[in-house]
Amino acid sequence: MGAVSERSKRSERAGAPIICFATQGHRHIEGERIRVLLGQLDAEEFPFDRAHKLRSARRLARAVLKRRPQLLVMEGTGTAGGLVLLAMKLLMGAPYVVSSGDAVGPFLGLHSRALGVLGRFYERLLCRNCAGFVGWTPYLVGRALTFGAPRAMTAPGWTRSVPADDARARIRTELGIPEQAIVIGLAGSLHWNDRVGYVYGAEIVQAVRRSGRPDIVACIVGDGDGSERLRELAGDDLGSRILLPGRVPAEQVPDYLSAFDAGSLSQSVDAVGSFRYTTKLSEYLAVGLPVITGEVPAAYDLDDGYMWRLPGQAPWSETFVAALSELLRGLSRAEIDDRRAAAAAVSADVFDRAAQQRRMTAFVGDILADPR
C-alpha cells in the first residue's frame, strides 16, 4: 500500500513545475546563480524578497500549496526559506534541494555562540531532510553528506563577465596609479565584524603601510559599514598608497581586477573560511590574477603555482598581517609575472559555467527519477 501511495505521489508531481528561489533575493548574485544552474530545466523562479523575509516566506508557502511542485530548489540557507521547505516536506512530502556556499552553524557562530548552536541544528535538519545538496565547494558537499544529505554535487560558481581590452591601463589612469606600481587588492562587501574587529581589506591596508614601499598600492573596491574603518586605517596614505574607490557596477568589477597585480582571498582557517572558495577566486583566475591567501584547503587543492600561502589563523591575526607585510617588502615584478603566468595557464574547467549547468541538470533529473 505504501509503495502504491508513493507511486501515486510521484505520478501527481510528474507534470508539476520546479520552483526555485534565492534567500538573498532574486536580484542578488545568488538569484542569478540558481537561474543559470537550472537554465536547461523548466524551472519557475519565485521572487523571494530578502527585505521582507517573513512576507516572502508566507507567499512561498501559499505558492507551493497551490502549485504542488515536483521539486523545490533553494539557493542559500536563510531560515525564512528553509523553514518553508521543511514545513512543505512534512505537510505534503515536497522534495527539495539546497545550494549553499557556507557552513551555516559556524557562520552564525561568528555573531553569537547561541546562534551558532541553533545554526548547527538547523543545518543538520535541512541536510537530513533534503533530496539533494549542491555545495559551492567539495568541502561543503562532504559536510552535507555527513549531516545526512542522500546525494550531493559541487557547483563552485563562475565569473559573469570579462574585462575590456583597455581596462588595466584605463582604470589605473582613473585611479592615479603609476605604471610601475604593484597593486594588491580585492573587491567585495565591506562589512564590519564587531566580534573579531575586522573588515575585508584591513590586513592589506595595514601591510601596505607597514611595508614602507611607496610603489606598493592597496585598492579595496566595494562599500559597506566597514568602509569608514578602512579610511581610518589608511590615515595619511588614503588616496595615494591606499585607494578606496567605493562600489562599482558588477559588470565593471573585472575591469578593476585587471588593474591589480595580485588579489587577496581573505579567509580564516576555521570552520567558516576553510569550507569556502568564494566567488572571488573564479573572478581572479578569469583575469589571470595571482592570489594571496591563508593556509585554507583550497590554497593547497587548487594551487598550480599562482598562490602565496601565508601563516596565521585569520586575516585579522597579527601573524597573518606580519607575514603579508614581509611578503610585500620583498615582492618583485619578476615574481608577480611568474605567478601571473601560472594563473593564466590554470584550467578553467572547475569554474566552467556550462559544465556546472550540465551537472545540475543531470543531478535534478536523477533526483526526480529516484523512487525514494
Side-chain angles (χ1 to χ4, degrees), residues 38 71 84 95 105 118 130 133 159 163 177 188 228 245 252 292 338 354:
L38 296 172
L71 186 68
V84 171
L118 291 173
C130 74
F133 180 89
T159 186
I177 301 172
E228 184 56 39
Q252 292 182 22
I292 300 171
D338 286 344

Side-chain angles (χ1 to χ4, degrees), residues 65 86-94:
L65 289 170
L86 290 167
M88 295 300 102
K89 173 70 182 295
L90 179 65
L91 290 173
M92 54 186 291

Side-chain angles (χ1 to χ4, degrees), residues 305-317:
Y306 64 90
M307 289 188 180
W308 289 275
R309 283 186 302 275
L310 302 182
Q313 285 300 109
W316 53 84
S317 72

Side-chain angles (χ1 to χ4, degrees), residues 279-304:
T279 56
K280 296 182 185 69
L281 186 52
S282 63
E283 293 172 346
Y284 290 163
L285 290 177
V287 297
L289 202 61
V291 175
I292 300 171
T293 189
E295 296 172 342
V296 292
Y300 299 97
D301 294 345
L302 301 181
D303 182 25
D304 283 327

